[in-house]
Every structure is written in structure tokens, then in C-alpha cells.
Amino acid sequence: MSGRCIRLTSRALDAIITSVMMPVMLMLVFVYLFGGAIKNSTGGDYVNYVIPGVLMLCAGWGSAATAVNVNLDMNGGIVDRLRSMDVGGTAVLCGHVVASVARNVVSTLIVFGVALLIGFRADADVVRWIAAAGVLLMYMLAASWLAAVFGLLVKTAEAAGGFSFLMMFVPYVSSAFVPVSTLPSWLRGVAKHQPVTPIIECLRRLLNDQPLGDNAWLAVAWCAGILLVSVVLADRTFRRRVA
């Protein structure tokens, strides 16, 4: 099932280009258009500040395509054909999630390559690089399963596409592009305690060789929690829809 989903993904060249181009364009806009005005509030080189948020944005945006792919399978009759071949629902959804993570790894590497070209430099050692990659993979996995749930819940592929807007919007209300302390006072509590902020801070501090504080365990806890809840919901929703 994973091979089938990866082959389908490789044929959707426009989706792959979009999943890469959108984060790259946003990264260039923030670094070159807004970076000069924002860098004083970040206390250093803005490109080093913003790249962890852009990597998260790339991972979330790429994962959102899973919602559309799952919905197309549910409404296109392919699930009934697969079940007639004794293929379980978990395998169907896992195939989409594995393809999503593979697609995300490729797009993240491309975005990271562009980040290096425009001046991003990390101070991390090997251990911190491995830890940062692990956090990103955990987020991709959790976001992909969450997207699968969304694709199962909505009725049409057009509605499933709306999940991408949610994944685009959430990082803006966080420390992805500006410090939380610079946001309006009524918004700081939401930005500080939403799931994406500790994950971005964990990535940022890992790559910039800074103390992690509580961000490491908070990032792992949020990813694990979202993953656990999403897998359970996906399994129950899939069983209800095919019953």
C-alpha cells in the first residue's frame, strides 16, 4: 500500500512542486522583505531565526495533502476493491501516511537546501542534528495521521483541501516568524501554549545550539499526543465509514 501511494504521489508533480514552492516563497518573503524590520526583535540574524518555522510550515503543508488523498480513496471506490482483496483499513491509511512522510522528507530537504543558499548556518553538533531530524519526523508523522482523520471526516475532496489552510495558519500564531513577546497581549497565551510553538522552539534551539529548556519534552509530548489521538480516531472513523 505504501508503494501504491508513493507511485500516485510521484505522478502528482504539480502537488510536489506546490508543496516545495509555497514554503520557499514564504521563506524568501520573510527573509528579504520583512527580515530587515523584524531582525531587531529576534536578537540576531533573522534567517537563522525563521528557518525552523519555515521547515515546520513545509512539513505541515506537505502533510495536508494526505487529507485529499484519503478522501479520494474513500469516495472513489478503491477502498471497497482493496477490502475485497483482504486489505485492512489500517494498511490503507498507513500507506497514505508513509507516502506523506516520504514526500515531506524530500520537500524539506529541498527547502533546507535553499535555506543554506540564502545564508542559514546551524551551530548544532551531530547529536543535535539527529535530534532535530527526529523532531521533524515525529511532527510529519503526527500531522499526516491528523490529515488522514480530516480526510475521513469530510465528504468531498474540496472540503479535505481546506486542511491545508489550517496547517498554513497555525504556525503564524506561534513563534515561527516573530517572538511571542512581540504579539498582542491577548494573543500571547494562545501562541505560547499551542502545539506548534514548543516544536518550533525545540528545532530552533537544537539547530542554534541553545539550551532546550522545557521545549524538548513539550515537543515530544505534543507530537506523541497528536499521533496517538489521530491513529485511534482514524481507525474508528474508517471502520464506521466502511461498516
Side-chain angles (χ1 to χ4, degrees), residues 9-243:
T9 296
S10 65
R11 295 169 187 167
L13 187 58
D14 55 341
I16 296 175
I17 293 174
T18 302
S19 67
V20 174
M21 289 304 297
M22 180 64 73
V24 168
M25 293 302 295
L26 285 173
M27 177 171 59
L28 296 178
V29 166
F30 272 94
V31 171
Y32 290 115
L33 295 186
F34 303 145
I38 298 175
K39 67 178 181 180
N40 291 334
S41 64
T42 60
D45 196 344
Y46 185 65
V47 68
N48 276 10
Y49 180 88
V50 78
I51 294 307
V54 172
L55 294 177
M56 282 285 296
L57 189 69
C58 178
W61 176 264
S63 301
T66 307
V68 176
N69 294 333
V70 168
N71 189 272
L72 288 173
D73 269 4
M74 295 303 297
N75 294 328
I78 188 67
V79 171
D80 294 331
R81 292 178 58 189
L82 292 173
R83 284 172 58 82
S84 69
M85 294 186 290
D86 198 26
V87 176
T90 303
V92 174
L93 297 177
C94 279
H96 282 292
V97 170
V98 170
S100 172
V101 173
R103 181 175 61 244
N104 266 302
V105 169
V106 173
S107 59
T108 298
L109 289 174
I110 295 173
V111 171
F112 192 74
V114 176
L116 291 175
L117 290 176
I118 64 173
F120 174 73
R121 296 294 180 268
D123 298 321
D125 56 19
V126 175
V127 174
R128 283 181 171 249
W129 272 108
I130 294 173
V135 171
L136 261 180
L137 283 172
M138 285 184 64
Y139 179 71
M140 291 175 188
L141 190 61
S144 297
W145 273 107
L146 185 62
V149 174
F150 193 82
L152 289 168
L153 290 174
V154 299
K155 294 182 178 179
T156 66
E158 289 78 10
F163 189 74
S164 61
F165 293 100
L166 174 65
M167 299 306 286
M168 282 287 291
F169 175 75
V170 169
Y172 283 93
V173 191
S174 73
S175 64
F177 303 109
V178 296
V180 171
S181 59
T182 64
L183 297 175
S185 56
W186 58 269
L187 194 57
R188 291 175 195 167
V190 177
K192 185 176 180 180
H193 298 292
Q194 63 122 315
V196 169
T197 296
I199 302 174
I200 291 174
E201 286 299 318
C202 182
L203 280 176
R204 181 173 292 136
R205 292 168 187 244
L206 283 170
L207 294 177
N208 293 323
D209 195 22
Q210 297 171 343
L212 294 174
D214 294 334
N215 296 295
W217 72 264
L218 283 172
V220 173
W222 272 115
C223 289
I226 294 172
L227 177 62
L228 178 62
V229 171
S230 298
V231 169
V232 172
L233 284 177
D235 181 64
R236 292 185 178 181
T237 308
F238 184 88
R239 290 176 186 274
R240 189 180 72 246
R241 286 200 58 173
V242 300

